[in-house]
Amino acid sequence: MISNYIHWDPDPEIINVFGISIRYYGLLFVSGLILSVYILGWIYKRENLPSENLEKLTIYSAIGILAGARLGHCLFYEPSYYLSHPIEMILPITFPTDGGVEFIGYQGLASHGGALGLLIALYLYSRKTKHSMIDTIDLIAVVAALASGFIRLANFMNSEIIGMPTTKPWGIIFERVDSIPRHPAQLYEAISYFLIFALMILLYKTQREKLKNGFFFGLVLVLIFTARFIIEFVKENQVGFEDGMTFNMGQLLSLPYIFVGIGFVIYGLWRTKMLRAQQGIL
């Protein structure tokens, strides 16, 4: 029976040139951001926003996502280790017990931290450009799920964030982990996020005038983190302390985002309805 399952064992490193490693994770991470920025460029033109603002948004967002995701992993999942090794939070290195310094890349990024880092970055961007914060987060929300999907594809290429054992015919054996068929949880999330992105684009193109004032932001929070909460039930816990928990850390961290998202959806619908009524628009 084992031979009937897909055996997955790609090398995370695509090529190494003079000690510089090109990896699937970095390539997919950057590809997701570039594609998101390209679509945001189209959105900015539709909204008649200055192109230089998009450049600032790109820089602020990239820094916020990376810094937030890295610090989120270190502080949410392995605080005892990283608080004792603070340099390793910031730099992609480790210090082996036998001495020296080893470059390992950023092995550990948390989507919840990335979302928080992005919000802080968007606040700073809004202050810098005078572009309304609530309008900014609505526009970013349209493409947020797309970038998230690429990150989960990157996790799949790394054989990380794996699913629990399964007997389903689509189970995958991650040979870098063990010989057990498992749920391809990374693909479950990636597919969910791409579907969410398709929905957000459709709503933006067809209902933009009726859906404003934080609605898109709230909706994407609800959809992404609800999907994350559900899929966590078939994922292996990332750290040992989660084993005795009813809901793991990923699920607990998803709940506040879901509740905040519901609040923004309600506010966005109410606020837009009020403004349209004041303008005499049905």
Side-chain angles (χ1 to χ4, degrees):
M1 284 294 293
I2 290 295
S3 61
N4 294 332
Y5 293 102
I6 297 173
H7 289 251
W8 188 249
D9 187 28
D11 188 338
E13 183 178 75
I14 303 172
I15 190 173
N16 191 302
V17 181
F18 302 115
I20 299 175
S21 176
I22 306 298
R23 293 172 171 264
Y24 285 107
Y25 192 100
L27 181 63
L28 285 165
F29 188 97
V30 172
S31 297
L33 289 180
I34 290 174
L35 186 55
S36 297
V37 170
Y38 177 79
I39 296 171
L40 273 173
W42 168 73
I43 291 174
Y44 265 53
K45 287 181 180 178
R46 279 181 60 114
E47 301 282 327
N48 294 315
L49 294 169
S51 59
E52 55 268 25
N53 280 9
L54 179 59
E55 296 174 6
K56 293 184 177 69
L57 178 66
T58 302
I59 295 171
Y60 278 72
S61 299
I63 294 173
I65 290 170
L66 183 58
R70 178 59 179 164
L71 292 176
H73 172 82
C74 296
L75 299 177
F76 295 154
Y77 291 97
E78 300 182 75
S80 59
Y81 176 82
Y82 283 105
L83 290 175
S84 301
H85 303 79
I87 294 178
E88 294 183 27
M89 283 194 205
I90 304 168
L91 301 177
I93 60 174
T94 189
F95 300 93
T97 54
D98 57 354
V101 177
E102 180 183 354
F103 178 85
I104 59 171
Y106 288 113
Q107 297 184 0
L109 299 172
S111 58
H112 301 88
L116 183 57
L118 176 61
L119 288 177
I120 295 172
L122 293 180
Y123 170 74
L124 297 175
Y125 158 83
S126 296
R127 292 197 59 179
K128 179 73 173 179
T129 61
K130 309 304 180 185
H131 184 189
S132 163
M133 174 68 174
I134 199 163
D135 190 49
T136 300
I137 59 178
D138 258 352
L139 299 184
I140 272 284
V142 177
V143 300
L146 176 63
S148 299
F150 271 83
I151 292 172
R152 283 298 176 252
L153 290 180
N155 296 137
F156 182 66
M157 296 305 298
N158 271 4
S159 298
E160 62 189 6
I161 311 184
I162 59 174
M164 292 181 175
T166 182
T167 57
K168 300 295 184 183
W170 57 83
I172 292 179
I173 296 175
F174 295 93
E175 294 188 359
R176 290 179 177 269
V177 180
D178 54 31
S179 300
I180 302 172
R182 295 178 176 276
H183 285 284
Q186 317 96 321
L187 296 184
Y188 295 167
E189 282 196 69
I191 292 169
S192 298
Y193 296 159
F194 290 142
L195 290 175
I196 292 169
F197 165 69
L199 174 63
M200 299 299 289
I201 281 288
L202 177 63
L203 289 176
Y204 175 78
K205 290 181 68 174
T206 61
Q207 303 293 325
R208 173 58 173 162
E209 290 306 311
K210 298 180 180 179
L211 303 176
K212 295 185 176 183
N213 299 297
F215 174 87
F216 283 102
F217 174 65
L219 181 62
V220 84
L221 286 184
V222 172
L223 293 177
I224 284 180
F225 288 103
T226 297
R228 173 72 185 269
F229 186 92
I230 294 171
I231 294 170
E232 287 291 327
F233 283 112
V234 297
K235 287 166 63 175
E236 290 283 6
N237 292 329
Q238 295 189 50
V239 289
F241 72 78
E242 296 178 291
D243 292 342
M245 301 168 62
T246 302
F247 299 115
N248 66 23
M249 182 60 72
Q251 291 173 311
L252 294 177
L253 292 173
S254 294
L255 291 175
Y257 287 100
I258 294 172
F259 294 140
V260 168
I262 292 172
F264 269 95
V265 167
I266 295 171
Y267 173 80
L269 291 173
W270 172 80
R271 180 65 176 165
T272 304
K273 182 178 180 180
M274 292 291 293
L275 291 175
R276 288 170 66 86
Q278 291 174 10
Q279 298 168 2
I281 302 174
L282 298 177

